[in-house]
Amino acid sequence: VTSAELQAAPAFGTDAQAGVGEIVVMKFGGTSVGDPERIKQVAERLVAARDRGARVVGVIAAMGQTTDQLLDLARQVSPRPDARELDMLLSVGERISCALVAMAVRDLGREAISLTGSQAGIITDTVHGQARIVEVRARRVRKALTDDYVVLVAGFQGMSEAKDITTLGKGGADTSAVALAASLGASACELYTDVDGVFSADPRVVPDARRLPSVSYDEMLDLAASGAGVLQLRSIEFARNHRVRLHVRSTLGEPGTWIVEEDESVAEAIISGVAHTTEALYRVQGPDPAELFTALANRQVSPDTIIQSGADTIVFSAPLEDRGVTAAALDALGATWSERDDLAKVSVVGAAMKGHPGIAARTFETLRGLGIEPHFISTSPIRIAFYVPEDDVERAVRGLHDTFELGATGERQDA
Ligand code: ADP
Ligand code: MG
């Protein structure tokens, strides 16, 4: 079972017919706006795009470690901060960066305006800390574009149907950008980050990981659901549902990675990448599956791997950050349960895997050769996933990356 559940396509029309010409949405991550110098460079990039003729929307993340610092501050005041107030606090980070970018754009001679998520019409549900965008009312953004402003929107935040400030969860600025691009009928959504694109594995773990020139929405969904944290999962669901072409790239001007329809991507490789993530694993006895997963869903916990193990035992995994609520849900059900956090999940992902029977064999031979024992193996047509002891995860990822010759120096495994 994969957590890449379909996000219902929110019913907002694109009003591209308003006639302001080509619109580009450019999102900048925390590193790209990490200090005053970089903020000025972001402004230059936005102005350059405007000078080339496009109308420009910049979606800006909080500077560097700002969000973590705010979170830390909250925890020093309150051990379990109230969710509404936490969102109020965290939304400040993007207001800062977004206003600073607007100032820098003005200094370069272009009109600019910064907008909070709510001013930009990002309407969400009421789930604080993990809100989902349900609608984008982009009238104000569109008007500002028509009036020749470069529009800066605070990423990662919106306003709920109850008119409270919400945040969209880790990586939420990606989804802000894609939702705006969809709503504005933008020609592309460019996501600037600290790596040159989507790689065959996390470049911090596998130094010779190879940049993928293009990936299909489905492959990217599986990579992201498997731990490739370069894009928020929901942003890809959104892009696929609204046919927004994504371009992940660095500010260094490298070619980056296009995330597009399968027939547009050059997916000639059997395996596109190896991803890994840490999750908590629960072994539960007592409640039946319907009861158990309803209780988790009611608390917004989204389980990933689910395995029936014996007559009355279910094993499932869930995000580490949801440990508190997961425990509360299991206790409320009166379940007998235990938790493990010493395993990490490794996934081998590739759209062409389904037609190639040897992939599983080579995967498990590689692990045997490394002396690593896989647990809780699961598959989809384009993914093989399993758990290994946390201490072995980097060795497993590098070993599989070598086996499938995914490295920049190796030959690619072509179909
Ligand atoms: P931003 O702040 O720009 O949103 P993130 O930290 O969210 O950036 O995402 C970029 C990071 O994602 C990279 O620094 C990299 O370590 C990590 N990452 C994990 N898997 C991959 C992958 N397959 N390809 C590229 N980056 C990856
Ligand atoms: Mg991110």
Side-chain angles (χ1 to χ4, degrees), residues 284-295 308 311-314 333 335:
V284 183
Q285 276 175 310
D288 73 49
E291 245 187 313
L292 170 61
F293 294 111
T294 303
Q308 174 89 41
D312 65 340
T313 305
I314 296 168
L333 286 170

Side-chain angles (χ1 to χ4, degrees), residues 65-79 81 86 89-90:
Q65 306 304 312
T66 309
T67 306
D68 289 340
Q69 284 161 2
L70 291 171
L71 209 51
D72 188 54
L73 191 59
R75 297 226 167 96
Q76 288 179 46
V77 170
S78 166
L86 192 58
L89 177 74
L90 295 184

Side-chain angles (χ1 to χ4, degrees), residues 171-371:
D174 300 331
T175 307
S176 310
V178 177
L180 275 164
S183 177
L184 293 166
S187 58
C189 182
E190 301 186 346
L191 301 129
Y192 289 88
T193 183
D194 58 0
V195 280
D196 292 334
V198 179
F199 282 71
S200 53
D202 187 341
R204 290 187 211 197
V205 171
V206 181
D208 79 329
R210 176 176 178 282
R211 182 182 55 82
L212 306 172
S214 64
V215 225
S216 68
Y217 294 121
D218 287 343
E219 272 177 298
M220 195 60 223
L221 274 171
D222 257 37
L223 281 170
S226 307
V230 56
L231 287 183
Q232 191 187 41
L233 185 58
R234 284 180 183 171
S235 72
I236 309 158
E237 294 169 355
F238 225 107
R240 181 179 63 177
N241 293 347
H242 296 279
R243 304 270 175 272
V244 179
R245 304 169 86 240
L246 305 183
H247 192 188
V248 180
R249 49 196 304 203
S250 76
T251 40
L252 303 173
E254 300 291 323
T257 299
W258 281 96
I259 301 164
V260 288
E261 298 281 357
E262 189 164 356
D263 53 15
E264 256 193 284
S265 75
V266 289
E268 83 282 13
I270 300 170
I271 304 298
S272 46
V274 184
H276 68 285
T277 180
T278 46
E279 290 176 336
L281 268 175
Y282 301 84
R283 177 180 291 275
V284 183
Q285 276 175 310
D288 73 49
E291 245 187 313
L292 170 61
F293 294 111
T294 303
L296 292 172
N298 288 341
R299 291 173 196 250
Q300 310 298 328
V301 176
S302 141
D304 182 31
T305 306
I306 298 173
I307 292 163
Q308 174 89 41
S309 155
D312 65 340
T313 305
I314 296 168
V315 172
F316 71 91
S317 67
L320 279 177
E321 58 268 25
D322 291 341
R323 276 163 87 174
V325 270
T326 305
L330 294 173
D331 285 340
L333 286 170
T336 306
W337 62 275
S338 59
E339 187 212 274
R340 284 185 77 165
D341 60 2
D342 57 336
L343 295 177
K345 188 178 69 174
V346 177
S347 307
V348 177
V349 175
M353 191 188 278
K354 43 201 170 214
H356 293 80
I359 304 299
R362 291 174 71 190
T363 299
F364 297 116
E365 268 166 24
T366 302
L367 294 176
R368 189 173 60 187
L370 293 167

